Amino acid sequence: MMEFKTKADKIIKERYGVTVEHVSAGVTYEDMFYRVVKPGGTSINAGHIYGFPMVKGAWCNKLKVRALNRIDKHAVSYIGIAYDEPKRFKILSQTKRSPLVEARWTEAMCYDWCKQRDLLSPIYQTANRGGCWFCHYQTVDQLRQLRKNYPDYWKLFLKWDDDSPISFHPKHTVHDFEKRFSLEDSGALQTDRSFRWAEVSN
């Protein structure tokens, strides 16, 4: 993915004269959650790592907003909401705008435009959406692809799961997904119905 981002940044600069600036929140997922809680206070995790965050809303978006506010809290933010996503329009305002909505571009139109210009992320070869590899809201198939295509990340994921006092998902641990995928690999999933969940991990 890093190679693709570098390539895309170069194409955008050469073709459209726009320099892409990557803004960091200055803190990683591990910095936030894979660290030991200081003793004292009321935290039940004192002396242990925080572990996976609770699955409650899109808390991670706050990190993006925090990074943008460091630049200019009054600046206009341009958000990638497509014209065929009306349920998301409610967050738009004078300082939160969507060029795609204003131009009436749908997700399919954006996909085709990027594909025709060699700007389509390789993530779309195996997934319908891009996002963080450790996201709790991924589908079962996205987690399956993560395990298959990025075994080092999956190994780290399993370690986080071992160490975390909080489950990765309200109904399933990462090890539950590992068990399911192992059964799929061996062809035994048909006889073990306890791991045959719906494709969406909820």
Side-chain angles (χ1 to χ4, degrees), residues 183-196:
L183 289 170
E184 290 177 351
D185 292 344
S186 67
L189 188 64
Q190 298 302 320
T191 58
D192 190 338
R193 301 188 63 83
S194 61
F195 287 92
R196 294 178 65 183

Side-chain angles (χ1 to χ4, degrees), residues 38-93:
K38 294 180 180 179
T42 59
S43 175
I44 61 173
N45 293 340
H48 304 282
I49 67 166
Y50 280 97
F52 292 122
M54 294 290 191
V55 182
K56 186 178 180 180
W59 57 267
C60 51
N61 283 335
K62 293 179 181 179
L63 299 181
K64 303 174 189 176
V65 173
R66 185 187 305 168
L68 291 171
N69 284 343
R70 286 179 182 174
I71 300 172
D72 183 351
K73 64 175 61 179
H74 302 294
V76 174
S77 298
Y78 293 96
I79 306 170
I81 297 176
Y83 188 62
D84 53 349
E85 297 181 290
K87 290 182 178 179
R88 301 178 65 195
F89 290 1
K90 60 185 178 183
I91 71 169
L92 299 178
S93 67

Side-chain angles (χ1 to χ4, degrees), residues 34 49 154-164 175:
Y34 202 81
I49 67 166
W154 189 255
K155 184 178 179 180
L156 177 60
F157 218 3
L158 289 170
K159 174 171 175 47
W160 287 353
D161 197 49
D162 282 330
D163 296 341
S164 177
H175 280 78

